[in-house]
Amino acid sequence: MTANINFEDMNWIAISPELILMATSLLLLLMGLKKAFNENSYLAKAATAGIVTALLLSCYLWSSAPTVADGADPEMFSRALIHDRFSQTFNLIFLVMSLFAIIASFRYPRPDHQNKAEYFSLLLMSVVGMMFLAKSGNLITAFISLEIFSISLYILCGFNAKHGTGREQPGDVDHLPWETVASQESTVKYLLIGAFASAILVYGMALMYAGTGTTEIRLIGKLLHENPYTHNPLVYIGMALMFCGLAFKVSLVPFHSWTPDVYQGAPTPVTGFMSVATKAAAFALIARVFYIALPELQEVWMPFLFGISVLTMLVGNIAAIFQDDVKRMLAYSGVAHAGYLLIGIVANSQDGMASIIFYLAVYLFMNVGAFAVVYMVEGEGKGSNSIYRFKGLAKRNPLMAAAMSLFMLSLAGFPPTAGFFGKLYVFVAAIKQDYVLITVLAVLASMIAVYFYLRIIVMMYFHESETETELVSNRGMTALVTVSSAAILLMGIFPSTFMQLALSAIPSIPH
């Protein structure tokens, strides 16, 4: 394979948000060298400034990016990256999610934590990797981008760990706080399973290259469309291995076993961030691969994705019923929502792609708000995540209980919340392609989910609090809950408007 570099298609403006975040990340590391600036307030404000600047630029790039109707060539940097509304839409999701994560981190890391600057720097670098993944037009670029954000998240998941006394024996963990042991366990599990998933993914990419002679996503789709002789076994095996590697990132069954343990042990701000951002990043690549590169093989991959989607919805919702830890419950809830999102891939249509974008935007606000409330109820990471801590919350803090109820009802899919329309658009996209059975099974799975979402509401309104302590809320978390609640109501009142924006952002097929 020869590398032909085209210096005429280097659109630096299109990747300016990523460049700004990279520069901000390096600046944060330099600030950490100066003790006076190595405090949460300074670091968080600097990170916020970089994210807001990148967000404003992404809004401009979204409005000026090529669309399907334009028919323009979106490829740049020798077809390694793609600049279109699809990628810029995911940029907006990642940046909004990171902004929420930074606001949540004004009080985290705590004063006894070391490496505060590294925390914020890694958070921004993970966003950079996700943004490049959504823009990837080449499998090699996609793998490098995926590893950038994965390695950052491996480290962030272990950030609850504290140093011991220095007198410990190997294997002795009795002296360590529970949160330290859980955080160390989560980061090791995430790292080991993530390494296996990455190996499977890159092996699948190698086989895809062996079968088609290229790693360019759009060119693969063109070759398979124009030349049926390229349909050889290596392509099928590579496709299966690539999907397995990406299924780990979005927690599809049976690749979901890491999710509850990692979500439980990681710091709550990190858990809230990765619960949405990693799903969005991986689904951005899954959508490009199956909608653009592999639509000609739909008869082969559709039955497998159909089965995995149904299995994911059922296993995620049934397992969540038995969880008393709220973070583990939300982890299994996230598994189920990955199954709903996969229905949009199964539909393999413009409506399916748009429904995925709409669903992820809604899921962002639902999860951000829910994890913000969990963070305050657990005492900003100092207490447990037991569901019983929500007892009597309606009396202690009526507004926070009302917001949490809204998040739970939206996650369950009750009308007229945005969560209802997120599922509705996905189901409609499947029905239009005559996939009625998967829609019926998805509705049944949603009915199962009602139990564990309403269980939290029952705890807040129909049980007496076991303690008399009031919920301590800070301005940052209150702002997150307020904005998330308003967004869910707004998207629930005007769903068609946001769906039209999603339809304008679907990726274009080169043939």
Side-chain angles (χ1 to χ4, degrees), residues 139-140 142-144 146-147 194-212 214-215 220 232-246 285:
L139 296 178
I140 298 173
F143 179 75
I144 295 172
L146 186 141
E147 288 302 295
F196 283 114
S198 295
I200 293 172
L201 176 64
V202 75
Y203 190 28
M205 290 178 174
L207 291 177
M208 185 65 68
Y209 170 69
T212 61
T214 182
T215 55
I220 290 173
N232 61 54
L234 292 178
V235 174
Y236 299 129
I237 299 172
M239 175 181 65
L241 292 177
M242 284 175 58
F243 177 74
C244 291
L246 293 172
L285 182 58

Side-chain angles (χ1 to χ4, degrees), residues 437-480:
L437 177 59
I438 195 172
T439 305
V440 173
L441 294 173
V443 172
L444 293 176
S446 298
M447 294 173 63
I448 297 173
V450 170
Y451 170 80
F452 59 83
Y453 289 126
L454 292 183
R455 185 185 178 197
I456 292 182
I457 298 177
V458 170
M459 287 287 179
M460 293 189 295
Y461 285 92
F462 299 101
H463 288 268
E464 294 295 329
S465 176
E466 296 177 351
T467 62
E468 298 299 326
T469 58
E470 294 185 3
L471 181 68
V472 179
S473 59
N474 58 70
R475 287 182 296 177
M477 286 298 178
T478 302
L480 289 186

